[in-house]
Each structure stands twice: as structure tokens, then as C-alpha cells.
Amino acid sequence: MIPEIMRRINIKFILFYFILLGYSQISFSQSDNITYFMSVIPQSTYCNPAFLEMTGYSHEEVLHKNPRILKSGKQDLDFYARLWDTISSGHTWQGEIINKTKHDSIYTEYMTITPVINHDGDIINYIAIKVDITEQKKHELEIKQREEQYRSL
């Protein structure tokens, strides 16, 4: 299920202004959504305060680091291969991912990763916009467990 906030985000619109006006003209820093920019290398080039708050990392600890620092080990290699195949071919990837914070706490987020493509058709960056759905997933699990308990009566 796609969180309502992700349905309202028009990624192409955001990217248009991102490219047209440049990083400094758009205030991703004020967004409640976790926002992360990554180069094609891949390494981080920007993350907003929501990202830092969620992960527990500082800007210095994240800047120019590979996003695998968030890897929880909960997804297999095929998951990441499909994700990277999708975005490196110029397509947007959306889905749930389980990551970990600096202090090894596990969290679940719904993420959209969109490649930024220049006028020559080359991917120059990726933008990830994420929503923390950890609490939602906990509630869904509680409901499922209660339903199972009820059915076993």
C-alpha cells in the first residue's frame, strides 16, 4: 500500500524545479519527508534534516558515503540488484525497504528513487524521497496477530 503522502508527491514536478533552479533554490531541508540526493558513483551529495533525524547520522558522517551504510541485512542481494537495475536504466523505483540507523535500530520506510537525467539522456543524480512507515507496519502486524488470535478461538 502506498502512503497517501507519496501519492501526492509529483516527483517529475520536483525534479523539473530541482534541475531548473538548482539545489540552493529548493528547500528540501524544510520537508517532513526524508530526502536524500545521491550521485551515480553512488555516494550521498545531500540529505535533509528529516534524514539525519531518522538515521541518527550527522551531515559529515553521511556526505560522500555509499547508501549501504543504512543497509539492515533484511533484504537479499536480489532485492538490491532489482532496485539498481531499475534506477540505473532511467526508471523510478518505489517500494518498502527496511534500513537501520547509526545505532542499529531497524526502521521501515516507503521510498521513491528517481533518476535525474540531463539533456543528453545521461543519469547525473538520483533523488530518494522517503516516508517512515515503521509505526504503520507495527500496527498492521498487531492487527494481523489479533485477527489470528480471534480466528483461533
Side-chain angles (χ1 to χ4, degrees):
M1 177 172 57
I2 299 173
E4 182 61 30
I5 189 71
M6 294 305 282
R7 283 191 217 132
R8 292 185 295 194
I9 295 173
N10 185 334
I11 298 295
K12 301 296 182 193
F13 181 77
I14 291 171
L15 290 178
F16 172 74
Y17 281 100
F18 166 75
I19 293 166
L20 183 65
L21 301 175
Y23 286 18
S24 64
Q25 298 297 318
I26 299 178
S27 184
F28 286 105
S29 65
Q30 295 178 7
S31 175
D32 290 336
N33 293 325
I34 301 162
T35 308
Y36 182 84
F37 298 170
M38 182 176 54
S39 67
V40 294
I41 295 178
Q43 57 182 233
S44 67
T45 57
Y46 170 83
C47 54
N48 71 346
F51 176 92
L52 301 174
E53 182 178 334
M54 180 70 214
T55 64
Y57 286 100
S58 68
H59 272 290
E60 295 76 26
E61 293 171 308
V62 175
L63 192 61
H64 305 297
K65 296 288 191 294
N66 189 295
R68 76 173 55 107
I69 64 171
L70 303 173
K71 192 173 178 180
S72 68
K74 301 290 184 183
Q75 284 90 13
D76 60 20
L77 294 177
D78 287 339
F79 173 87
Y80 291 104
R82 288 188 308 273
L83 185 156
W84 281 101
D85 285 347
T86 301
I87 63 174
S88 63
S89 65
H91 296 94
T92 297
W93 180 89
Q94 290 186 325
E96 293 181 11
I97 189 167
I98 301 168
N99 278 330
K100 68 175 180 161
T101 67
K102 176 181 177 178
H103 303 291
D104 294 327
S105 296
I106 300 297
Y107 64 96
T108 305
E109 55 192 7
Y110 187 85
M111 179 168 39
T112 299
I113 304 175
T114 302
V116 178
I117 300 171
N118 69 12
H119 64 279
D120 293 327
D122 300 321
I123 297 172
I124 56 171
N125 278 313
Y126 298 100
I127 298 178
I129 298 181
K130 312 171 177 201
V131 176
D132 180 7
I133 60 169
T134 305
E135 289 303 313
Q136 176 185 336
K137 298 303 278 184
K138 285 180 186 177
H139 292 304
E140 288 173 2
L141 180 60
E142 288 173 7
I143 290 169
K144 183 179 178 182
Q145 289 172 339
R146 287 182 183 151
E147 286 176 351
E148 289 172 0
Q149 183 180 20
Y150 175 75
R151 289 193 173 111
S152 69
L153 296 177

